[in-house]
Amino acid sequence: MTSPHAFHMRQRPRRTRQSDAIRRLVCESALTVSDLIWPIFVREGENAEEPVASMPGVMRFSVDRAVAAAQAAADLGIPAVCIFPYTDPSLKTEACEEAWNPENISNRAIRAIKAAVPQMAVMTDIALDPYNINGHDGIVKGGKIVNDETVVALVKMALAQAEAGADILGPSDMMDGRIGAMRDALEAAGHQDVTIMSYSAKYASAYYGPFRDAVGATGALKGDKKTYQMDPGNSDEALRMIARDLEEGADMVMVKPGQAYLDICHRVKSEFGVPTFAYQVSGEYAMIEAAALNGWIDGEKIMMESLLGFKRAGCDGILTYFAPRVARLLSA
Ligand code: PBG
């Protein structure tokens, strides 16, 4: 059959879109369960689960429930969980000592999960905000976030987490020199196999709002985090931060938030070719959930499409609160 029209049609890109089978064959990017890191919130108590109001479907787990959640995630094939602590307000101080307490809620959760589900990689967060009476990621002195004293504290925190059995340390504090200081301390303490996924390009973002509610830091924070987290207008600076953190000993790097920063993910992966991750943060999750709960969008489809976007942009993996739901859908 020739075209009834007077033009030649040699290229018909629709040919490769005509059936599910052919579409699947030519598909360039795929999301798999191996791409997922599941952030979970832990709190005191036993057999307790408490919903986070601003993140429908997300819970704060007592340690025993966190272990059960990690076991369920492992059964679904999820390779890693990332632990965030909800710290009792009475434990927050100016010096943030609770951050490196071997018995703090986060370190207890690491040990309990590694004991029960050893195949699960356990990632941590390194920043002082859950333990800081000022709500900042660093130590505050005279109204300023002091860099070098904070790094000393962060190194102690990193060592306590490594001692507890963490597989991946996640410094999210954005202080200068912390990756090198942690790497040296890990080597000296015989923790040479502990990996570091640096939050290298972390922006001062309003998308973290619901998370601060989840870890109980919302009321505490005085001011903003603009003297350490990056300006959302900057892109070259992100590449400089990645180069620096790799040089200082990071094994993997992260861009955060995710969706509004996919250009950064793409630049990082194409310029460095290193393991690149994105964090689909609390505000991104809350926006999708809110619209879905109102019936305005198909939440499940948007969840999958938003995550596929990270893969297409070049990410090797994504931290996402959707992880178990995605895993269930992928295995259905
Ligand atoms: C702590 C930290 C934050 C997040 C991860 N680690 C909050 C912040 O920097 O204020 C945000 C995660 C999310 O929004 O899901 N420094």
Side-chain angles (χ1 to χ4, degrees):
M1 284 277 278
T2 49
S3 165
H5 305 289
F7 55 83
H8 295 288
M9 198 67 102
R10 291 178 194 129
Q11 293 242 348
R12 287 185 185 272
R14 290 185 55 198
R15 277 195 288 260
T16 54
R17 296 177 207 139
Q18 65 184 296
S19 70
D20 182 59
I22 295 177
R23 284 193 296 272
R24 278 163 50 213
L25 283 173
V26 301
C27 184
E28 299 169 42
S29 315
L31 177 70
T32 77
V33 70
S34 303
D35 302 321
L36 304 172
I37 299 174
W38 185 28
I40 56 175
F41 299 106
V42 292
R43 44 154 281 176
E44 290 297 338
E46 230 175 281
N47 200 21
E49 247 177 62
E50 167 185 47
V52 177
S54 52
M55 300 176 72
V58 171
M59 300 287 169
R60 297 187 193 109
F61 298 116
S62 54
V63 170
D64 54 335
R65 289 286 188 101
V67 170
Q71 182 65 65
D75 293 343
L76 286 164
I78 294 172
V81 292
C82 184
I83 295 172
F84 292 96
Y86 175 84
T87 308
D88 189 301
S90 70
L91 295 171
K92 299 187 188 197
T93 59
E94 297 257 340
C96 312
E97 293 95 338
E98 182 66 6
W100 54 92
N101 176 358
E103 293 303 321
N104 72 22
I105 186 77
S106 169
N107 291 331
R108 276 185 276 140
I110 297 167
R111 278 195 293 270
I113 292 173
K114 287 308 293 184
V117 200
Q119 75 276 26
M120 173 65 77
V122 174
M123 178 169 167
T124 65
D125 188 69
I126 302 182
L128 300 178
D129 52 334
Y131 313 99
N132 192 341
I133 206 156
N134 296 298
H136 275 289
D137 294 11
I139 291 169
V140 182
K141 284 208 167 149
K144 288 212 161 106
I145 289 87
V146 291
N147 193 87
D148 300 9
E149 282 173 60
T150 299
V151 171
V152 172
L154 296 171
V155 167
K156 289 191 241 177
M157 193 175 174
L159 287 173
Q161 294 175 350
E163 268 326 306
D167 301 282
I168 308 170
L169 304 184
S172 70
D173 53 280
M174 290 297 278
M175 295 300 123
D176 289 326
R178 88 268 206 222
I179 302 298
M182 282 175 206
R183 180 54 78 202
D184 289 349
L186 289 170
E187 287 285 323
H191 292 300
Q192 62 278 353
D193 292 336
V194 172
T195 62
I196 298 177
M197 183 189 293
S198 180
Y199 288 64
S200 301
K202 177 172 180 180
Y203 289 86
S205 170
Y207 282 97
Y208 310 145
F211 171 95
R212 291 178 191 165
D213 174 25
V215 299
T218 307
L221 182 62
K222 299 183 182 92
D224 57 48
K225 300 192 175 185
K226 289 181 186 168
T227 70
Y228 44 106
Q229 299 180 349
M230 282 176 49
D231 187 325
N234 294 356
S235 174
D236 290 340
E237 187 187 3
L239 299 190
R240 292 200 298 275
M241 294 303 98
I242 302 276
R244 177 195 68 177
D245 287 357
L246 291 169
E247 222 248 317
E248 291 186 16
D251 306 287
M252 304 173 259
V253 295
M254 193 205 297
V255 174
K256 177 182 177 206
Q259 185 123 56
Y261 298 84
L262 287 180
D263 57 320
I264 309 297
C265 297
H266 188 258
R267 279 193 81 185
V268 168
K269 187 61 176 183
S270 52
E271 299 202 21
F272 292 95
V274 296
T276 302
F277 292 78
Y279 198 143
Q280 182 181 52
V281 298
S282 56
E284 300 175 62
Y285 175 87
M287 284 159 56
I288 293 174
E289 278 304 285
L293 288 170
N294 271 295
W296 296 336
I297 59 170
D298 181 327
E300 205 163 78
K301 289 205 172 102
I302 298 259
M303 166 179 89
M304 297 307 273
E305 190 175 334
S306 65
L307 291 165
L308 184 59
F310 291 105
K311 294 292 294 180
R312 194 186 59 245
C315 292
D316 296 290
I318 310 108
L319 286 92
T320 175
Y321 301 98
F322 288 121
R325 277 155 70 184
V326 173
R328 273 192 292 274
L329 207 64
L330 288 172
S331 68

